[in-house]
């Protein structure tokens, strides 16, 4: 089967790749582009470890075909920090131990950042429901929710 | 000597909350987990799995697959060791593991591996996997523990039972445990009330978010490299070498970052298969499980059927207690029934107690350890009966537990006398917590439970090398499953008297240290921590010797203070303190590299107890349970990094909430697993849970230089019972089966009318 040529933008950089029509965006990111920050926890859109944004919309990259990236703007965990500077969410996640094993963390950070861009002052319930599609098996979510809430407060003060 | 005495206060590092060394990697996507590694010329592997619960493998035809473009190797059982022999019970564990990794004559459960293929892409491997034709002769199956013990149950494998199994039991009962003391008859006769109840728990999966993944390279020369996500890479090395007839030392295993394990990554599944494929193809092979494979073919915990009987006086004194614990652990021996039995009554000081355990085989995947294996189910059964007794005798649930609590010097239900333990302290802290006295809202119920886990020491080796600039490289061999690199660096910094940031702790490969047992048994902060402290003290001794030589005084006239060698004693003379960096700067010329190390099998892992408080509400119409408040109180001995200790407490509680309310392996009549996805096997999500309060109790463990007790596992022991008690008190009816899913709760409410 012939491959499809795709031109897209990932974390602000133009990227070209060839992919099999059956390959998911997650397969492309991880196995063709070396962007292994997004993780495959389930492959069925249930765990959120592969979360990326496509034109600012939060999606599970395992549910999207690589070919669908044509002309889109994709953002992954690798693009959250700017040069040497961590995003306030990233700093707070480390400080609060909002991660233990860290495998769900890339997806949760992408999802949380997307939430704060839409809603800079979410309630605890809003944070919990926004992140309900991102499974974490280590933390019980307590420290994750606190990290997101406190980062939101910090970013509101800074802006 | 002062170096070996226990230090319990005056810490500079211990008890602080520094950032973890792997933090930046993990928030930027840089951290490399099992599936994140590649190698030049790498192939992808895929595994063919049985669609039947029990079937004889008549024929495997690989010819079509082998003829496909890009296919480089196909393996079956014939490509593994023929020298590993079966044996009864756990003595046959190496053969059991081999048989589980790749079926021989019979597929023993839905998902059992029967063949594997390696091809040039993941898609090509998946296509080739589908082209492998396996002919099966379907056999009768059994997946339920009680049915597997019944007379007419199909035999999973004859001649597997250990000699200890009583005569006349079904051949599926393969191991037996009994322990206890006193006179049960006399004890029950003394009771004012005896409650007897039957309990059932379903199998649950550890549910780590990272599926098993590895990258294997093995040449015809018997030399291999393996990268994998595992809780114990020395064990992987040992087992893979045996299963593939390799020399252990010729296989170097590197542990990747690990995306959760909770016991489920303490064994091997795909690693020997990837190595076998690599050997045959003579190329590196990567194998990554799908989520469905994780559920169907990696180890869940045991399901149980239990009978508990407890007698109590009106004043709350327990007069006698007995339990029978039947655990199924899949198609192999190993269900942790002895732990279930031994943990069941451990919190209580009992004159008359008996516990009996049965390890039962069924056509399910081989169970693997899951956080305090066996203990949570026992606590569910026993603590439910204690709650029922307290309700019926109108007693306070914490006071009653305090009245019967195990303490230093009392005899454990399973035999030994307790050393210093902290159960009473957790109960007192729970009683004093505002949660316990907060009035309940209408429709809410409150549940209390204690929980116990042994904790473990195990073989441990650590090396600490000092650099010329006065910083330290700490090499440990226990994969970091909860922030342990930070804790290790803190303990090393504490001993050396240098900043935390000046210690870099790395989990090194199997070629770099002596054997390190798996990161299991809540042993890492205890055992690798102890080894780190001793390795640092070894380095300090060497540093002092260098200073003594420089000053021309005896070695014992130098002591270590705040990161400096200082003269000490009447004959030491006057010398300025010599900082660590000043000694290491010259170490090449004063005797060579300074490295501290420690190798031993520490045996002083202190046990840990916990008490949990839960408030729950039950929707009488839908049967849905909401956990409205949760408090964990647990003895940590000494919390090295309190934030990570809290994290263990919260994580264990959350997993327990899932086990209690939602999670279960659901089998159809055909013996196939019906819910092998995260959609249908529902672990708690953020919107299911409340904040989880924690109280860290610190009753020092006499077996650790700082008093550390393992904390990872005990946290999952009380939740099942605490939630069941809360739900039962809210619903007004005793729930005796887990999970307490809405249909089960509705059924229970129906029978209550």
């Amino acid at each position: 089967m012939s491959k499809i040529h795709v031109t897209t933008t990932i974390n602000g950089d133009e990227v070209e790749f060839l992919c099999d029509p059956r390959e998911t965006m997650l397969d492309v990111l991880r196995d063709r582009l070396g962007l292994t920050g997004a993780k495959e926890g389930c492959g069925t859109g249930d765990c959120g470890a592969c979360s990326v944004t496509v034109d600012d919309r939060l999606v599970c990259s395992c549910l999207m075909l690589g070919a669908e990236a044509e002309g889109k703007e994709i953002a992954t965990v690798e693009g959250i920090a700017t040069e040497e500077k961590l995003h306030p969410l990233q700093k707070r996640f480390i400080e609060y131990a909002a991660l233990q094993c860290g495998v769900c963390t890339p997806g949760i950070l992408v999802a949380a950042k997307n939430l704060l861009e839409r809603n800079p002052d979410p309630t605890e319930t809003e944070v919990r429901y926004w992140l309900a599609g991102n499974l974490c098996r280590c933390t019980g979510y307590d420290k994750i929710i606190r990290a997101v809430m406190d980062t939101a407060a910090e970013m509101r003060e800074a802006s | 000597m002062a170096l070996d005495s226990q230090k319990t206060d005056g810490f500079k590092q211990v008890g602080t909350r520094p950032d973890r060394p792997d933090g930046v990697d993990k928030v930027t996507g840089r951290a490399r987990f099992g599936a994140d590694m590649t190698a030049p010329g790498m192939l992808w592997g895929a595994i063919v799995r049985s669609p039947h619960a029990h079937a004889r493998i008549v024929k495997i035809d690989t010819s079509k697959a082998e003829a496909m473009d890009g296919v480089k190797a196909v393996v079956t059982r014939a490509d593994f060791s023929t020298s590993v022999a079966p044996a009864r019970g756990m003595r046959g564990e190496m053969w059991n593991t081999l048989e589980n990794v790749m079926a021989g004559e019979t597929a023993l459960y839905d998902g059992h591996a029967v063949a594997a293929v390696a091809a040039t892409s993941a898609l090509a491997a998946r296509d080739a996997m589908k082209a492998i034709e396996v002919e099966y002769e379907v056999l009768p199956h059994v997946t339920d523990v009680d049915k597997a013990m019944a007379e007419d149950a199909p035999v999973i494998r004859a001649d597997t039972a250990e000699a200890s199994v009583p005569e006349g039991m079904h051949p599926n009962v393969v191991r037996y445990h009994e322990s206890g003391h006193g006179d049960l008859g006399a004890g029950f006769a003394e009771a004012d009330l005896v409650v007897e109840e039957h309990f059932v728990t379903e199998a649950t999966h550890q549910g780590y978010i990272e599926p098993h993944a590895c990258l294997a390279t093995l040449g015809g020369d018997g030399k291999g490299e393996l990268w994998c996500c595992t809780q114990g890479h020395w064990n992987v090395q040992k087992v893979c070498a045996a299963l593939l007839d390799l020399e252990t030392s010729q296989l170097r295993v590197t542990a990747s970052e690990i995306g959760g394990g909770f016991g489920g990554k303490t064994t091997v599944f795909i690693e020997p298969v990837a190595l076998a494929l690599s050997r045959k193809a003579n190329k590196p092979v990567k194998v990554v499980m799908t989520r469905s494979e994780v559920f169907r073919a990696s180890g869940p915990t045991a399901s149980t059927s239990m009978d508990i009987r407890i007698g109590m006086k009106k004043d709350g004194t327990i007069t006698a207690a007995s339990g029978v614990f039947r655990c199924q652990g899949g198609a192999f021996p190993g269900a942790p029934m002895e732990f279930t039995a031994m943990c069941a009554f451990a919190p209580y000081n009992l004159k008359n107690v008996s516990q009996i355990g049965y390890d039962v085989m069924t056509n399910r995947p081989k169970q693997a350890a899951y956080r305090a294996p066996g203990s949570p189910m026992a606590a569910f059964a026993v603590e439910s009966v204690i709650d029922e007794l307290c309700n019926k005798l109108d007693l306070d649930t914490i006071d009653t537990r305090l009245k019967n609590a195990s303490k230093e010097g009392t005899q454990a239900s399973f035999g030994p006398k307790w050393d210093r333990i902290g159960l009473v302290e957790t109960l007192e802290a729970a009683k004093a917590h505002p949660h316990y006295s907060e009035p309940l809202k209408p429709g809410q119920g409150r549940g209390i439970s204690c929980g116990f886990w042994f904790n473990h020491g195990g073989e441990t080796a650590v090396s600490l090398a000092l650099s010329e600039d006065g910083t330290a490289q700490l090499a440990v061999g226990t994969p970091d499953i909860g922030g342990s690199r930070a804790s290790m660096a803190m303990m090393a910094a504490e001993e050396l008297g240098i900043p935390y940031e000046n210690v870099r702790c790395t989990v090194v490969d199997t070629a770099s240290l002596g054997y390190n047992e798996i990161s299991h048994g809540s042993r890492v902060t205890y055992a690798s921590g102890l080894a780190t402290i001793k390795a640092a003290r070894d380095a300090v001794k060497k540093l002092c010797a260098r200073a003594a030589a420089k000053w021309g005084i005896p070695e014992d006239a130098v002591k270590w203070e705040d990161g400096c060698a200082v003269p000490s004693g009447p004959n030491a003379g006057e010398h300025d303190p010599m900082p660590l960096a000043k000694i290491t700067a010259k170490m090449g010329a004063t005797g060579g590299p300074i490295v501290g190390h420690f190798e031993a099998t520490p045996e002083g892992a202190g046990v840990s107890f916990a008490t949990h408080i839960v408030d729950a509400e039950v929707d009488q119409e839908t049967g849905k349970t909401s956990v409205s408040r949760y408090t964990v109180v647990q003895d940590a001995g000494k919390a090295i990094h309190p934030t990570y200790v809290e994290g263990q407490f919260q994580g264990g509680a959350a997993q327990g909430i899932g086990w209690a309310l939602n999670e279960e392996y659901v089998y159809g009549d055909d013996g196939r697993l019906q819910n092998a996805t995260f959609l249908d096997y529902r672990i708690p999500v953020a919107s299911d849970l409340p904040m989880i309060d924690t109280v860290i109790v610190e009753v020092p463990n006499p077996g650790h230089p700082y008093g550390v007790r393992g904390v990872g596992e005990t946290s999952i022991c009380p939740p099942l019972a605490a939630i069941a008690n809360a739900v039962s008190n809210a619903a007004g009816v005793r729930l005796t089966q887990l999970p307490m899913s809405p249909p089960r709760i509705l059924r229970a409410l129906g029978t209550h009318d």
Side-chain angles (χ1 to χ4, degrees), chain B residues 88-89 157-165 170-175 333:
Chain B
R88 288 173 182 273
R157 182 154 54 89
D159 303 323
T160 307
E162 290 182 349
S164 59
V165 176
H170 191 284
N172 290 341
V173 181
V174 289
R175 296 188 310 126

Side-chain angles (χ1 to χ4, degrees), chain B residues 69 94 163 218 237 330 382 413 437 531 594 680-681 695 699 723 740:
Chain B
D69 284 348
M94 198 61 88
L218 181 58
Q237 179 195 37
V382 170
S413 52
S437 48
I594 299 177
D680 298 321
Y681 182 96
V695 178
V699 176
I723 297 159
M740 294 172 288

